[in-house]
Amino acid sequence: MDTEAQPTERDRSSRPSAPEDVSQETPGPDGPEGRSRFAFAGRIVPWLPGGRVSLTLLACLVFLLVLNAFVAQPFQIPSGSMENGLRIGDRVLVNKLAYRFGAEPRRGDVVVFDGTGYFGNSDYIKRVVGVGGDRVVCCDKEGRIQVNGRSVDESTFLYPGDSPSTADFDVVVPDGTLFVLGDHRGRSRDSRDHLGSPGGGMIPVDDVIGRADWIVWPFAHLTRLPRPSAYARVPGAEGAHG
């Protein structure tokens, strides 16, 4: 809404007559007021090699740095732990605002996190299987992972031929942390492998950098990374610990 007051036209008869001295002309659009809009850039340009072209490139660089730091950041997939969905060398675009305004990671999200002190001194990408309060168990009679007593069909994203897990576990995820697994369970070192480590293999939500939303490179792999429906029927954690 335009909240700025609209100027009203004064009674022309009350205006003083204009002075006859033609030297007192009103500055035109190219006068001092117009030039002041670009005064800062005008002072910088002579000092920059390449002039305005360099200034434009510098402004673009600053914009990209701010975008990379606070909004979205590309990450390269370094291993096969998330195949077939994410292949070695793929670049994913990580949404760094996904969990900034009160939202929390959800089961099925693919997240990038800082594993320092938990997984190693690096950033990692895994799928969220359990959130705070969840009981995650492997496995039911059909070899499927259970979350809060509900068996999860992971066949749409699990690497072909992989079992959900070759190691048995029964864990309750502490509040404020995540239980994460790779989609290629046979090649992924994830929460299962760190159950006896500091933090019990859980990743603090505060260490999550963002949610991987898109594969952006190579163009042949360009696709959105949706949250699978496999976890949609998983009940809340209440009453799951009995």
Side-chain angles (χ1 to χ4, degrees):
M1 179 184 295
D2 184 5
T3 58
E4 206 173 83
Q6 297 296 323
T8 56
E9 185 177 359
R10 297 180 181 178
D11 182 2
R12 295 184 179 180
S13 62
S14 65
R15 294 181 181 175
S17 58
E20 296 181 359
D21 186 355
V22 294
S23 64
Q24 300 179 2
E25 295 180 354
T26 303
D30 295 329
E33 183 178 352
R35 288 196 299 269
S36 66
R37 298 173 186 174
F38 304 98
F40 181 71
R43 294 191 189 102
I44 295 179
V45 167
W47 295 91
L48 283 177
R52 291 190 180 276
V53 174
S54 296
L55 181 61
T56 301
L57 292 175
L58 181 61
C60 291
L61 177 61
V62 171
F63 173 77
L64 290 175
L65 289 174
V66 172
L67 187 72
N68 186 76
F70 300 105
V71 181
Q73 183 175 353
F75 280 84
Q76 183 173 357
I77 305 302
S79 72
S81 68
M82 289 295 290
E83 292 177 334
N84 274 341
L86 300 176
R87 306 173 190 178
I88 296 175
D90 282 355
R91 285 174 172 79
V92 296
L93 190 64
V94 175
N95 180 357
K96 302 180 80 169
L97 297 180
Y99 310 124
R100 295 286 187 184
F101 303 103
E104 295 284 337
R106 295 171 59 183
R107 306 179 197 97
D109 285 354
V110 175
V111 297
V112 172
F113 58 90
D114 180 2
T116 303
Y118 300 93
F119 280 32
N121 299 321
S122 185
D123 296 331
Y124 295 83
I125 182 166
K126 304 292 179 185
R127 189 178 298 278
V128 177
V129 174
V131 298
D134 285 349
R135 181 182 181 185
V136 186
V137 178
C138 181
C139 290
D140 67 8
K141 294 180 180 180
E142 297 181 14
R144 298 173 298 181
I145 285 178
Q146 289 184 325
V147 182
N148 298 336
R150 171 78 66 172
S151 296
V152 179
D153 181 7
E154 301 177 291
S155 59
T156 58
F157 52 85
L158 199 65
Y159 186 81
D162 271 9
S163 62
S165 179
T166 56
D168 293 336
F169 53 83
D170 185 341
V171 298
V172 175
V173 184
D175 289 340
T177 66
L178 306 171
F179 185 88
V180 297
L181 298 175
D183 289 353
H184 194 345
R185 303 287 159 81
R187 294 186 61 182
S188 175
R189 292 185 59 81
D190 43 44
S191 289
R192 300 168 299 168
D193 301 282
H194 299 276
L195 294 176
S197 303
M202 309 300 168
I203 299 301
V205 173
D206 289 344
D207 288 340
V208 173
I209 297 170
R211 184 182 65 215
D213 283 348
W214 288 85
I215 301 174
V216 294
W217 184 264
F219 288 133
H221 297 173
L222 179 65
T223 186
R224 184 173 174 271
L225 298 173
R227 182 184 299 114
S229 60
Y231 300 92
R233 295 185 179 180
V234 172
E238 297 80 5
H241 307 157

